[in-house]
Amino acid sequence: MSEFLFNGLSPFIATVLIFVAGFTSFLTACLGAGGGIILLGTMAQVLPPQLIIPLHGVVQLGSNVGRATMSWRHIDWGLIARFLPGALVGAFIGHYVLVALPPAVMYLTIASFILYLCWGPKLPKLILGSWGTVFAGGVTTFISLFVGATGPLVGAFLKQIYSDRFKTVATFAAAMSLQHVLKIAVFEEAGVNITAWLPLLIAMIISGAIGTYVGLRVLKRVQDKHFSLILNWILTLMALRLIWQAVELLI
């Protein structure tokens, strides 16, 4: 039973993954972003390379669906309707792209865009409008197939649109839910089988739901101006981490 439950992982490692899933969901719920990429980095240390992104996608789907459900009243459904067509196109193209961009180039591009969105001038209204949202949905979904966690990029884009912390977190959760559904579908179509990992994934999703519940309660105590500043620094730290990864690959 234990071998099936942990699928070759020790009980200790499985417990750590379950705890980290809850903690990172808590971080994303109360700070707006950052949890997904921390979870990805943790899973990358202990899981088979070919399964890291699809398994991470399943856990993140559970976490984001839970967060979107708990905060559905604040979701900007109009933006989600515009985000979806782009996400579908991004997933479709990604399915047929056999050779990805060099990881270092992708990391530096994402990091630069995040830093611009956090600290540069506000994007023009055209980019933040309907077609800009479609484009963001397509690009971030395509990239997610290769780097796994595009939460900071989506979060940085939404931060330019909303000042309300609840709308930011709720709409982010809905957008990421769509993205993870499409990503999982692409990997399923590619023949990746995650059935043996379901017990561990379910435990991580439950832990994530608990973390989300606690994080949303903390979010109620955070003022909008403080939330924006905290989110900026969380995203900046994520961007600096991507730059460091790119430098390591180039050295």
Side-chain angles (χ1 to χ4, degrees):
M1 176 64 180
S2 61
E3 182 179 355
F4 175 70
L5 177 61
F6 302 118
N7 206 48
L9 299 179
S10 71
F12 173 75
I13 295 298
T15 301
V16 169
L17 289 176
I18 293 168
F19 171 79
V20 172
F23 177 69
T24 53
S25 291
F26 166 81
L27 284 181
T28 303
C30 65
L31 299 180
I37 200 166
I38 295 173
L39 179 61
L40 180 68
T42 303
M43 296 176 74
Q45 306 303 313
V46 297
L47 296 178
Q50 70 275 17
L51 291 176
I52 293 170
I53 293 180
L55 293 182
H56 175 266
V58 173
V59 176
Q60 286 298 96
L61 173 61
S63 176
N64 281 285
V65 167
R67 191 161 59 253
T69 301
M70 294 180 198
S71 57
W72 66 271
R73 293 181 179 84
H74 302 281
I75 295 174
D76 182 347
W77 293 107
L79 183 139
I80 297 302
R82 297 188 296 273
F83 188 89
L84 177 59
L88 289 169
V89 172
F92 179 79
I93 295 174
H95 176 65
Y96 290 99
V97 173
L98 300 179
V99 180
L101 289 173
V105 174
M106 192 171 291
Y107 288 153
L108 289 173
T109 301
I110 295 173
S112 299
F113 193 53
I114 290 172
L115 292 174
Y116 173 84
L117 290 174
C118 287
W119 306 109
K122 194 173 180 65
L123 289 172
K125 290 184 177 180
L126 176 64
I127 298 178
L128 295 177
S130 299
W131 287 109
T133 303
V134 173
F135 179 76
V139 170
T140 58
T141 302
F142 175 82
I143 292 174
S144 73
L145 297 170
F146 305 100
V147 302
T150 53
L153 190 55
V154 177
F157 177 76
L158 294 181
K159 186 193 72 66
Q160 292 271 320
I161 300 175
Y162 307 118
S163 59
D164 178 81
R165 62 194 186 280
F166 290 103
K167 183 167 285 189
T168 301
V169 169
T171 306
F172 173 82
M176 294 306 295
S177 295
L178 288 175
Q179 197 169 88
H180 287 303
V181 166
L182 294 171
K183 180 167 63 178
I184 293 168
V186 169
F187 279 103
E188 283 285 331
E189 180 68 20
V192 177
N193 187 359
I194 62 172
T195 303
W197 295 88
L198 285 179
L200 178 61
L201 293 175
I202 291 171
M204 293 176 70
I205 289 171
I206 293 172
S207 176
I210 296 171
T212 293
Y213 176 77
V214 176
L216 289 175
R217 292 180 70 86
V218 172
L219 180 64
K220 294 178 180 179
R221 302 174 183 270
V222 181
Q223 296 182 7
D224 284 334
K225 61 179 181 179
H226 294 151
F227 174 82
S228 180
L229 182 61
I230 292 171
L231 180 56
N232 272 356
W233 280 110
I234 290 290
L235 292 167
T236 297
L237 290 174
M238 297 300 101
L240 293 176
R241 179 182 179 276
L242 290 172
I243 292 173
W244 178 254
Q245 287 180 292
V247 170
E248 286 186 321
L249 291 172
L250 292 173
I251 292 177

